[in-house]
Amino acid sequence: MAAPHADACAQSPTPVDTTKTDGYHLVVDALKLNGVSTIYGLVGIPVTDLARVAQASGVRFLGFRHESAAGHAAAAAGFLTGKPGMCLTVSGPGFLNGLVSLANATTNCFPMIQVAGSSDRSIIDLKRGDYEELDQFAIAQTLAKAAYRVDRAKDIGLGVARAIRTAMSGRPGGVYLDIPAAVLGEVLDADTGTRSLRQVVDPAPLQPPTPRSVDRAIALLAGAQRPLIVLGKGAAYARADAAIQRFVESTGIPFLPMSMAKGLLPDGHPQSAAAARSLALRDADVVMLIGARLNWLLNHGEAPHWNPDARFIQVDIDPTELDSNQAISAPLVGDISSVMDALNEHAGIGDVTAPQPWLQTLAARSSENTARMDAHLTAESAPGKPMGFYPALRVVRDVLANHPGIYLINEGANTLDYTRNVIGMPLPRHRLDSGTWGVMGIGLGYAIAAAVETGQPVVAIAGDSAFGFSGMEMETICRYGLPITVVVFNNGGIYKGDGVNPASADPSPTTLMRTARYDRVIEAFGGTGYFATTPVQLGAALSTALTLRRPALIDCVIDPADGTESGHLTALNPVGVEKP
Ligand code: ADP
Ligand code: MG
């Protein structure tokens, strides 16, 4: 192996002596040895040279304007590639900004590693007041799947290997790796450094289920009158697409995709129960959860949303997930790929079917609901009135139908709810959204990672409020010339744009500028802005932007009165004595 720092650039602090290496080079060498090819981050003391060394060594570094967006990009990269996305931050405040994304990645079960430089422990621990002083390690432990700190340069290889295995194995999640400034600058004998590196073998080992657990699940399914499969983003992450499709199609059981599992089977699939969702949940007697949790997004499996007598089968890699909400009659602990293979090969699979009356009930409800939806989608807005969410989404849907390979990023409240329901996904892992936390601000970070990791065009559909959380990353998108089209659904507010403050001249808490022109934001950075006030203009702008494959932003003016407060989550707002 060549001396680890032979490729250093002029600005790096590398010693000229090729028999030596240092912490910066060891971090990059350890990442490269484990196949990491991209780092998302934001530099400053003490990690600037780490990014320089990475670039000089052929590892791509993408610089952001806010650590949270860089971290969200790393998290999305983790979901899209199945390998930990890397985020690099400075110490103190930069570390904290990144932590939102690390915690979000952990909640979403995305593999991610946040590496941060940190200040001098001997000063931090006695609270003597250092530059950006913060006990980062202790804080990260509480929010990530795990945290590790490297205290000697010769342990960098070990620290990186531990971080990679922890992020990827079992239930994936976010890992924090703390590297004090002094360790980055520590000089070491090059041979010792090279020998200290480790390549992780089989970082996410398959975990086949026990035969007994497979028997139990098959027996329960075989006796079901109204069976239902719920596919979650864990199923998308597992990349068991063919085995899942085989199981669904050979049994004939209707399925419901969670938002990020859309496309695992196409939304237009005849067994999709998405258009009869409420009925399917309320009436199913045996429910098989595949990589989906019975958390708030599924109303905890509780009545009246669910049949109180439903029995559950849960496929999950994490045994502690089982029984976290409803009792699980047939746990299938293992990785989804191995579990689906075991189910498909089970001798009793031929006895599992979906009874006709159940399928007919769902089909009838689906066509009713689809007709109702079509009426919304084709409704014309009154003359002089801005378009509503549905007519806007109808044209977006029609344009995207011609671009099946597109990656769709989606955040907002009403913008999220409506888009999820209207835009079908033909391919797996092509939709990323606010996820398990319902977090805002993921939009542009996720979009950047999707473009960088896949090389495909990306459309990010965001509410005007959601866009604001990461809007400055438009500069990042333009700086790297990424093929991302951002569509801002601009209704001039959080939830809605017609909020009133009866008490003073200040805008209401939910009010944003209705006259804001987000298309002009991208123009400041040399990208192309479009302004659309009608569905026809929106369709034309989106088609053009997708053909050009350049950074674009469409400000799409939406009726401020359309939508509802908190979107589909209105019931989560506590009700007090009086509402102004
Ligand atoms: P959704 O929000 O789409 O319902 P969740 O994020 O709530 O999905 O659930 C994903 C589940 O998938 C988690 O409980 C996680 O442990 C599980 N999971 C992730 N990857 C795998 C895998 N390879 N095999 C089995 N389970 C997995
Ligand atoms: Mg809005």
Side-chain angles (χ1 to χ4, degrees):
M1 200 188 194
H5 57 274
D7 46 8
C9 69
Q11 289 147 301
S12 93
T14 308
V16 191
D17 181 354
T18 54
T19 64
K20 301 285 184 205
T21 186
D22 60 26
Y24 292 109
H25 287 86
L26 286 171
V27 172
V28 173
D29 291 342
L31 294 175
K32 276 182 81 172
L33 184 64
N34 285 285
V36 174
S37 55
T38 307
I39 297 173
Y40 301 89
L42 207 169
V43 300
I45 297 171
V47 300
T48 311
D49 280 324
L50 188 52
R52 291 201 181 104
V53 172
Q55 274 192 336
S57 312
V59 172
R60 193 162 189 208
F61 176 81
L62 283 110
F64 282 67
R65 305 302 300 265
H66 193 283
E67 293 87 351
S68 163
H72 289 316
F79 174 74
L80 290 167
T81 65
K83 298 194 200 115
M86 296 294 310
C87 172
L88 179 66
T89 69
V90 300
S91 44
F95 155 82
L96 282 177
N97 283 343
L99 212 48
V100 170
S101 60
L102 192 70
N104 184 52
T106 306
T107 305
N108 279 323
C109 315
F110 296 166
M112 168 184 168
I113 298 171
Q114 181 181 348
V115 176
S118 58
S119 308
D120 189 331
R121 287 231 57 83
S122 66
I123 297 178
I124 294 174
D125 290 351
L126 284 169
K127 305 207 170 69
R128 295 169 56 201
D130 203 357
Y131 168 71
E132 297 193 339
E133 176 181 292
L134 193 69
D135 191 355
Q136 297 169 194
F137 176 72
I139 293 167
Q141 301 232 65
T142 63
L143 292 167
K145 184 176 175 186
Y148 302 108
R149 180 166 54 227
V150 176
D151 289 317
R152 309 177 296 186
K154 67 176 182 180
D155 292 334
I156 285 173
L158 172 60
V160 168
R162 301 255 306 128
I164 289 174
R165 187 175 287 285
T166 303
M168 286 179 73
S169 60
R171 171 184 278 179
V175 176
Y176 175 60
L177 188 60
D178 191 277
I179 311 187
V183 175
L184 288 170
E186 191 182 330
V187 175
L188 217 67
D189 178 65
D191 276 347
T192 312
T194 304
R195 273 186 280 110
S196 72
L197 302 180
R198 300 184 183 195
Q199 191 171 17
V200 182
V201 177
D202 195 11
L206 292 180
Q207 298 184 33
T210 62
R212 175 82 191 89
S213 67
V214 182
D215 293 346
R216 202 188 284 122
I218 291 279
L220 188 53
L221 277 176
Q225 294 307 303
R226 296 179 305 280
L228 179 70
I229 291 169
V230 178
L231 298 170
K233 59 181 165 314
Y237 179 79
R239 290 158 176 76
D241 310 353
I244 290 172
Q245 182 178 6
R246 182 173 153 201
F247 181 79
V248 169
E249 291 182 347
S250 71
T251 60
I253 299 175
F255 70 91
L256 270 180
M258 300 298 288
S259 64
M260 283 184 58
K262 278 161 72 80
L264 204 43
L265 290 142
D267 279 311
H269 193 284
Q271 285 170 252
S272 170
R277 189 175 193 271
S278 312
L279 178 76
L281 297 185
R282 213 191 54 216
D283 285 4
D285 65 345
V286 174
V287 179
M288 182 173 187
L289 301 159
I290 306 180
R293 288 172 282 186
L294 277 179
N295 55 20
W296 68 279
L297 285 160
L298 285 171
N299 299 103
H300 307 283
E302 284 167 0
H305 306 280
W306 292 75
N307 171 4
D309 299 321
R311 304 188 69 196
F312 290 92
I313 301 166
Q314 187 160 22
V315 184
D316 207 289
I317 202 154
D318 182 355
T320 68
E321 181 58 36
L322 308 167
D323 296 311
S324 58
N325 282 281
Q326 299 302 312
I328 302 300
S329 306
L332 273 169
V333 176
D335 71 278
I336 288 166
S337 189
S338 303
V339 172
M340 298 320 291
D341 286 347
L343 289 165
N344 283 327
E345 281 148 28
H346 193 276
I349 185 85
D351 300 332
V352 178
T353 53
Q356 275 306 316
W358 173 230
L359 298 181
Q360 282 155 5
T361 307
L362 291 174
R365 177 61 65 89
S366 288
S367 45
E368 276 168 43
N369 287 349
T370 305
R372 197 173 309 145
M373 171 71 95
D374 284 346
H376 287 307
L377 288 168
T378 51
E380 299 287 339
S381 27
K385 224 180 151 216
M387 65 187 134
F389 284 101
Y390 278 122
L393 282 164
R394 184 193 70 225
V395 296
V396 173
R397 179 194 67 182
D398 293 347
V399 173
L400 293 189
N402 300 320
H403 300 267
I406 213 106
Y407 281 79
L408 181 68
I409 313 298
N410 192 195
E411 63 177 335
N414 291 297
T415 303
L416 179 71
D417 296 333
Y418 290 120
T419 304
R420 181 179 61 232
N421 292 343
V422 174
I423 312 271
M425 301 304 299
L427 294 172
R429 293 173 294 282
H430 277 57
R431 183 191 152 89
L432 287 94
D433 64 26
S434 299
T436 305
W437 255 4
V439 69
M440 297 300 128
I442 46 92
L444 300 192
Y446 279 14
I448 290 168
V452 166
E453 299 291 337
T454 72
Q456 294 299 309
V458 176
V459 172
I461 303 180
D464 50 345
S465 163
F467 173 75
F469 290 82
S470 66
M472 195 45 130
E473 303 304 337
M474 288 313 304
E475 190 274 338
T476 310
I477 291 172
C478 292
R479 184 162 21 102
Y480 290 97
L482 297 171
I484 295 172
T485 302
V486 179
V487 182
V488 178
F489 275 2
N490 183 1
N491 64 354
I494 300 173
Y495 311 129
K496 299 173 69 177
D498 57 359
V500 174
N501 171 10
S504 75
D506 281 344
S508 87
T510 56
T511 296
L512 299 171
M513 273 184 80
R514 201 179 294 176
T515 52
R517 288 286 300 267
Y518 295 99
D519 51 316
R520 293 186 177 155
V521 172
I522 193 172
E523 287 170 358
F525 307 121
T528 311
Y530 301 86
F531 184 58
T533 58
T534 65
V536 173
Q537 288 172 351
L538 175 60
L542 186 57
S543 297
T544 309
L546 288 177
T547 312
L548 294 177
R549 283 181 163 243
R550 295 191 64 245
L553 190 152
I554 305 172
D555 183 323
C556 173
V557 179
I558 298 283
D559 184 354
D562 199 11
T564 47
E565 176 146 333
S566 303
H568 287 188
L569 306 181
T570 300
L572 296 184
N573 289 311
V575 182
V577 200
E578 186 195 352
K579 185 165 172 157

